[in-house]
Amino acid sequence: MNLSIYEFTEEELKSNQRGFFSSGQKEMIENMAAGIRHSQLGTAKIGMIFPFFGLCIVLGLSLSNESSRAALFSDPLILIVLVLLMPFLIGIFALSVYFAYRRADRLSSAELSKVEGRVELDESHSSKAGSTYYAIFGKIRFAFPEDVSDIFQEGGTYRIYYCETSMLKLIMSYEKIA
């Protein structure tokens, strides 16, 4: 996924030309990383409520009458599964938070890169995802949710300043050079 959501100023372009992020760009990147962390942590907290609630319902129904209690305690494997279910789910949610924090840390520590070249525009359609628009500069391909032909003219030569993590290319600024 690629983003070009940041409206850059002339000062930010000059900072990028000198090889570093402006203070506003650093702040924007940190805010995005904090959003990733906060979102995943909130999802994990809420996600833990549902399995715990389900476990309480299962135990409540199982202990509600004599025959259900007998069925619950008839096989030790049933109790072992119920006892290990919550630590297993907590582990899964902990891993999701850990990987989200790693992804956010990679974004926070991303370095400024640049690519220049003639732009080629392309698009693809999917019945599930809709249309994806591409701008290709040299060997680097940026994907966009909207048509970018009004920003990048086909065949024009551009210099793009961006930062990249494993799944994200964030365009910081660009300039037309020919």
Side-chain angles (χ1 to χ4, degrees):
M1 176 179 202
N2 306 292
L3 299 173
S4 180
I5 58 172
Y6 189 65
E7 295 294 326
F8 62 93
T9 64
E10 191 66 33
E11 291 79 29
E12 290 169 332
L13 176 61
K14 288 179 183 177
S15 293
N16 294 160
Q17 289 169 334
R18 290 190 298 262
F20 60 90
F21 296 112
S22 71
S23 60
Q25 290 171 330
K26 286 179 192 174
E27 182 181 337
M28 188 247 336
I29 289 171
E30 286 300 322
N31 288 339
M32 288 180 74
I36 291 170
R37 290 181 189 104
H38 182 73
S39 174
Q40 188 62 38
L41 192 57
T43 301
K45 286 178 184 177
I46 291 173
M48 284 304 303
I49 291 171
F50 293 107
F52 181 74
F53 184 66
L55 183 62
C56 289
I57 289 174
V58 167
L59 287 175
L61 290 174
S62 296
L63 298 174
S64 66
N65 64 45
E66 180 110 9
S67 62
S68 296
R69 276 192 299 273
L72 178 64
F73 296 111
S74 67
D75 187 2
L77 185 60
I78 294 172
L79 290 176
I80 291 171
V81 168
L82 288 177
V83 168
L84 294 179
L85 183 64
M86 285 309 289
F88 177 74
L89 292 174
I90 289 170
I92 289 173
F93 285 116
L95 277 174
S96 72
V97 170
Y98 170 75
F99 287 121
Y101 271 64
R102 275 189 47 191
R103 193 169 48 248
D105 290 343
R106 277 194 302 252
L107 178 60
S108 293
S109 63
E111 295 182 11
L112 185 66
S113 300
K114 74 176 177 179
V115 64
E116 61 182 70
R118 295 174 56 87
V119 67
E120 296 176 39
L121 300 177
D122 194 12
E123 75 179 276
S124 66
H125 301 283
S126 167
S127 61
K128 295 178 184 175
S131 294
T132 303
Y133 300 90
Y134 299 98
I136 304 158
F137 303 90
K139 295 183 179 183
I140 305 293
R141 183 172 83 164
F142 296 89
F144 300 91
E146 299 175 350
D147 185 14
V148 291
S149 61
D150 57 332
I151 298 171
F152 302 113
Q153 274 58 44
E154 178 87 38
T157 304
Y158 293 86
R159 183 174 298 128
I160 308 295
Y161 300 95
Y162 68 99
C163 64
E164 181 175 10
T165 63
S166 59
M167 295 175 41
L168 178 71
K169 289 182 195 139
L170 182 64
I171 294 178
M172 306 308 294
S173 63
Y174 61 88
E175 58 185 324
K176 187 168 185 174
I177 53 178

